[in-house]
Amino acid sequence: MKLLANDGIDPVGKQLLEEAGFFVDTNHIPQEELPEKLQNYDAITVRSATKVRKALIDACPNLKLIGRGGVGVDNIDVEYALERGVAVHNTPAASSASVAELVFAHLFTGVRFLQDANRKMPVDGSSKFNDLKKAYAKGIELRGKTIGILGFGRIGRETAKIAYGLGMEVLAFDVYPSVTELEITLGGGVNVTIPVKYADKDEVIAQSDFISLHVPFSEEPVIGERELALMKKGAGLVNCSRGGTVDENALLEALNTGKLSFAGLDVFDNEPTPRTDLLTHPKISLTPHIGASTNEAQERIGVELATLIINHFKTLAQ
């Protein structure tokens, strides 16, 4: 079996596959060359960069499996692949903790103005220290505040666990709520169980001091002008889910008018070329789509994906 790990795979996952008899190629093939070159492989694994659409699936009748190292499968035409007999596997649990921690990296950054301070201190810190000290003197604490979590899947639940650990209140919204309580492991091996408080989408938006998005891709923004108008004045918004789920024009307007105090963005509409007015805005904390990009998450993703692939072909062979 020949497998193309077109967006890379953790060495541990690669080793597991090779020990199971797979040939694993980690050399990246540009998207436009895939219709021709992917015909030399039985399977492909991708992250978010490579797209596996209908045309590519049609061009590669040899393809037996598509693996997605991560949660979302927006870059794969899943239903069409399944119709053509091509298996699709993803790793929904492996990166949850890493994404949730990044949410709080953005939250801590926003409430203490770190995104702006880190830009200005190298330039003005030695000459305008006291001015900057005054400018950033009105930070707030997360403890005691309410975080609204839109989308209460694995990542949303991990985000809630951190929030509870910080002493925050949590309001959750999910189209299909399935969890009524969370078990949280604290330091020293102490376990606590906390009931989840749900509300409808508008209630969550209106009652929360901060909103964190954990929703799948949608054709229309989940947070647009109407939703931003519902938010508390001075609230913060973090999007570590999908580009396109926040109306970027409406977000900039809310930041410029003071409706929102800050935003934290890991994803953008026009990746890999986000708009400049977002990238330079003093009230936006920025990361380049790195929610799952921790060493620990990548190892878990590699191991989980390798195990799924091995088990799939083992089952077919039986």
Side-chain angles (χ1 to χ4, degrees):
M1 285 287 178
K2 295 183 67 176
L3 182 145
L4 174 65
N6 207 43
D7 297 332
I9 188 169
D10 186 84
V12 177
K14 182 174 184 286
Q15 181 180 345
L16 288 173
L17 286 163
E18 290 174 339
E19 289 174 351
F22 288 79
F23 171 80
V24 182
D25 186 353
T26 57
N27 291 309
H28 179 76
I29 296 176
Q31 186 76 44
E32 65 273 11
E33 298 178 18
L34 281 172
E36 176 186 354
K37 295 185 177 179
L38 187 56
Q39 297 188 47
N40 298 318
Y41 300 87
D42 301 288
I44 182 173
T45 65
V46 302
R47 291 189 61 192
S48 58
T50 300
K51 309 294 188 290
V52 188
R53 300 297 185 200
K54 178 180 177 181
L56 181 58
I57 295 168
D58 284 340
C60 302
N62 53 292
L63 197 62
K64 301 176 181 66
L65 180 143
I66 303 164
R68 165 68 163 98
V71 181
V73 288
D74 311 330
N75 54 325
I76 302 169
D77 284 341
V78 177
E79 290 186 8
Y80 186 75
L82 297 176
E83 289 174 6
R84 294 297 301 270
V86 181
V88 180
H89 292 283
N90 67 336
T91 59
S95 61
S96 300
S98 295
V99 178
E101 288 191 7
L102 183 62
V103 169
F104 279 88
H106 282 295
L107 284 172
F108 281 117
T109 294
V111 296
R112 299 304 295 270
F113 316 108
L114 302 186
Q115 76 283 346
D116 199 44
N118 280 327
R119 289 169 171 167
K120 291 184 177 176
M121 280 294 288
V123 178
D124 297 325
S126 61
S127 59
K128 300 179 181 178
F129 188 90
N130 288 331
D131 291 339
L132 295 177
K133 182 177 180 179
K134 183 178 180 180
Y136 305 133
K138 294 185 178 180
I140 62 172
E141 297 178 358
L142 296 180
R143 183 177 301 275
K145 305 301 190 301
T146 297
I147 182 170
I149 300 176
L150 301 183
F152 211 62
R154 289 178 176 87
I155 298 174
R157 295 195 292 270
E158 287 297 323
T159 301
K161 290 178 183 180
I162 298 175
Y164 285 130
L166 288 168
M168 300 182 76
E169 299 293 328
V170 174
L171 275 179
F173 168 77
D174 197 274
V175 177
Y176 304 105
S178 60
V179 175
T180 58
E181 58 185 26
L182 293 178
E183 184 173 312
I184 303 172
T185 301
L186 304 176
V190 176
N191 292 323
V192 296
T193 300
I194 300 179
V196 178
K197 184 176 181 180
Y198 287 99
D200 67 36
K201 179 184 170 185
D202 284 357
E203 285 181 292
V204 170
I205 292 171
Q207 295 178 23
S208 299
D209 301 296
F210 311 103
I211 296 293
S212 185
L213 287 171
H214 301 286
V215 295
F217 175 79
S218 62
E219 294 296 333
E220 297 294 328
V222 175
I223 298 292
E225 186 176 346
R226 187 188 77 85
E227 290 77 17
L228 289 165
L230 290 174
M231 293 179 70
K232 290 182 178 181
K233 181 175 175 58
L237 174 68
V238 177
N239 186 14
C240 290
S241 60
R242 302 285 182 276
T245 54
V246 174
D247 182 327
E248 293 180 346
N249 288 324
L251 174 63
L252 284 168
E253 177 67 15
L255 291 168
N256 290 336
T257 61
K259 175 66 175 180
L260 292 188
S261 61
F262 74 91
L265 301 178
D266 185 50
V267 290
F268 305 86
D269 283 358
N270 299 315
E271 294 182 25
T273 55
R275 49 195 289 180
T276 303
D277 49 0
L278 284 177
L279 299 180
T280 58
H281 201 287
K283 293 183 179 180
I284 301 180
S285 172
L286 301 154
T287 49
H289 203 152
I290 57 168
S293 299
T294 63
N295 294 336
E296 295 87 347
Q298 289 308 303
E299 181 172 323
R300 288 193 297 267
I301 288 170
V303 170
E304 184 177 348
L305 194 55
T307 302
L308 288 167
I309 294 168
I310 292 166
N311 289 341
H312 174 82
F313 284 109
K314 186 182 293 184
T315 300
L316 288 181
Q318 292 175 351

